[in-house]
């Protein structure tokens, strides 16, 4: 199964972000857009993992976040990786909050004994709004900057848990299922 670790946004925040991003979705960009239920902040992508390892990974995440206290992260601003001229990912920004960086680092350390390699790139928290379609021609994103400027969104997301997510790929996009939820501070 295909797994990743994420901070899921509350339903109201997911819908508000999705609604605010309408100018991008209606701008004719060659992008496969993420549906509201799929909006989250990825902390660590694990890839293909044997199903019998999920419980142990969940327990490691429980330990990793047991002493962390819940906090809030602000959301806003739109950008693209690697660039707005030739994006692969279009995203909504998430605050580079020290507690979120520590949480990502704790998750990274907790999963190293399972053989997951450490991420070499700096942690750039974001919510993926869409991914560019394969084979997109040069110049297809000329309107991106103007469209992004029309997205007016400032949100706040509580961070009270870290979720082990299963991703199932379909032609119309991925669907996500929470396999395990680890509550910050050991709470519920």
């Amino acid at each position: 199964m295909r797994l990743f670790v994420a901070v899921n946004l509350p339903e109201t925040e997911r819908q508000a972000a999705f609604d605010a991003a309408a100018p991008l979705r209606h701008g004719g960009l060659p992008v496969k857009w993420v549906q509201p239920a799929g909006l989250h902040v990825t902390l660590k992508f694990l890839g293909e993992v044997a199903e019998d390892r999920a419980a142990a990974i969940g327990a490691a995440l429980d330990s990793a976040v047991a002493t962390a206290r819940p906090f809030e992260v602000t959301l806003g601003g739109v950008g693209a990786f690697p660039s707005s001229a030739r994006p692969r990912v279009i995203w909504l920004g998430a605050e580079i909050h020290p507690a979120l960086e520590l949480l990502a680092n704790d998750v990274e350390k907790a999963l190293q004994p399972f053989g997951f390699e450490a991420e070499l790139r700096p942690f750039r928290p974001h919510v993926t709004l869409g991914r560019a379609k394969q084979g997109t021609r040069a110049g297809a994103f000329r309107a991106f900057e103007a469209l992004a400027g029309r997205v007016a969104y400032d949100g706040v997301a509580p961070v009270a848990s870290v979720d082990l997510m299963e991703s199932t790929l379909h032609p119309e996009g991925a669907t996500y299922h929470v396999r395990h939820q680890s509550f910050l501070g050991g709470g519920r």
Side-chain angles (χ1 to χ4, degrees), residues 37 91 119 188:
W91 50 259
E119 180 62 57
R188 279 218 168 253

Side-chain angles (χ1 to χ4, degrees), residues 83-140:
S83 73
S84 60
R86 301 236 2 151
R88 283 194 309 273
V89 172
I90 295 179
W91 50 259
L92 174 69
E95 171 187 11
I96 302 175
H97 192 292
L100 187 59
E101 288 183 301
L102 287 172
L103 193 60
N105 187 54
D106 290 345
V107 165
E108 188 81 55
K109 284 196 281 190
L111 297 179
Q112 281 181 339
F114 292 90
F116 299 110
E117 292 191 27
E119 180 62 57
L120 300 177
R121 295 176 293 194
F123 179 59
R124 300 265 316 265
H126 65 279
V127 176
T128 298
L129 296 174
R131 290 180 173 77
K133 292 179 180 176
Q134 295 272 336
T136 301
R137 68 190 190 308

Side-chain angles (χ1 to χ4, degrees), residues 16-67:
F18 183 80
D19 292 346
L24 289 169
R25 288 193 313 279
H26 302 299
L29 299 174
V31 172
K32 186 177 279 190
W33 298 104
V34 176
Q35 294 303 304
L39 299 178
H40 62 271
V41 177
T42 300
L43 298 179
K44 174 86 176 155
F45 181 74
L46 306 180
E48 288 296 325
V49 177
E51 190 165 351
D52 62 355
R53 296 180 74 198
I57 291 169
L61 291 173
D62 288 343
S63 295
V65 305
T67 59

